Amino acid sequence: MLFVREFNVHIECIELTPVFASVARTRVRLAGLDHRIHISEGNVVNKMVGHPSFDVIVSIDSAIHFDSRRTFFKQAYDALKKNGRLVLSDQIIRNNHSREEIIKFLRANDSEVPYSNLILFDEYLRDLHDIGFRIDLLLDVSNRSYSLLD
């Protein structure tokens, strides 16, 4: 809603969880912005197939949950118009942790994060580069966030 008010844009939201989509639709309708914001339910990885149609794709702490994150990156790249941008915040394994430590933690906590997404920072950057993305800005906020294993 902030983007619509501040930048006069149209927003297409894709939410996997039906109850979250319902709450979001209600909030958008009550704000009188349902003509500018469309919220659909489904898996974003499946819904972005097609011709380039987005100027910007924003993913906030969700890409780690997609099966797979690399597939999401590929489809996002294909769905973006020329000079489009992927803006995301994501969770990446620090180089001082092993995949085995993380998998053990996730299993103990019944996490549904696909293990294929448990890649190190360098692998993450290589995936983005190999797909065709150019990284304009990269901020490490790990010193302002939590660590599962520390």
Side-chain angles (χ1 to χ4, degrees):
M1 290 187 279
L2 174 73
F3 287 166
V4 168
R5 289 182 180 128
E6 294 294 319
F7 304 108
N8 195 31
V9 296
H10 174 81
I11 305 288
E12 179 71 30
C13 298
I14 303 169
E15 172 56 51
L16 181 62
T17 310
V19 69
F20 291 171
S22 177
V23 169
R25 276 192 217 93
T26 299
R27 290 184 65 205
V28 165
R29 185 177 34 75
L30 291 174
L33 296 174
D34 48 342
H35 65 290
R36 303 290 304 203
I37 301 173
H38 177 259
I39 299 167
S40 61
E41 293 174 29
N43 185 327
V44 69
V45 174
N46 299 329
K47 289 213 171 211
M48 288 192 304
V49 177
H51 65 283
S53 57
F54 296 101
D55 296 306
V56 178
I57 295 174
V58 178
S59 172
I60 301 173
D61 291 335
S62 55
I64 192 170
H65 299 283
F66 299 145
D67 193 7
S68 76
R69 178 168 44 203
R70 184 172 171 81
T71 300
F72 165 69
F73 288 160
K74 285 179 186 176
Q75 291 179 340
Y77 186 83
D78 292 342
L80 286 165
K81 293 178 184 175
K82 184 176 180 170
N83 297 319
R85 295 184 180 265
L86 173 64
V87 178
L88 54 92
S89 65
D90 207 349
Q91 301 165 29
I92 308 165
I93 299 175
R94 294 181 186 166
N95 289 330
N96 61 339
H97 291 129
S98 73
R99 282 184 184 86
E100 292 73 29
E101 288 178 290
I102 302 292
I103 289 171
K104 183 178 176 182
F105 176 85
L106 294 174
R107 281 186 180 143
N109 290 282
D110 294 325
S111 174
E112 295 181 13
V113 171
Y115 296 155
S116 63
N117 289 341
L118 302 179
I119 60 174
L120 298 175
F121 182 70
D122 292 343
E123 295 169 298
Y124 186 90
L125 293 179
R126 189 172 34 250
D127 279 353
L128 288 168
H129 180 266
D130 289 350
I131 290 165
F133 285 106
R134 185 186 82 228
I135 298 173
D136 292 328
L137 178 64
L138 179 66
L139 298 173
D140 179 354
V141 296
S142 58
N143 65 339
R144 293 182 253 160
S145 61
Y146 62 90
S147 173
L148 298 175
L149 301 174
D150 288 341

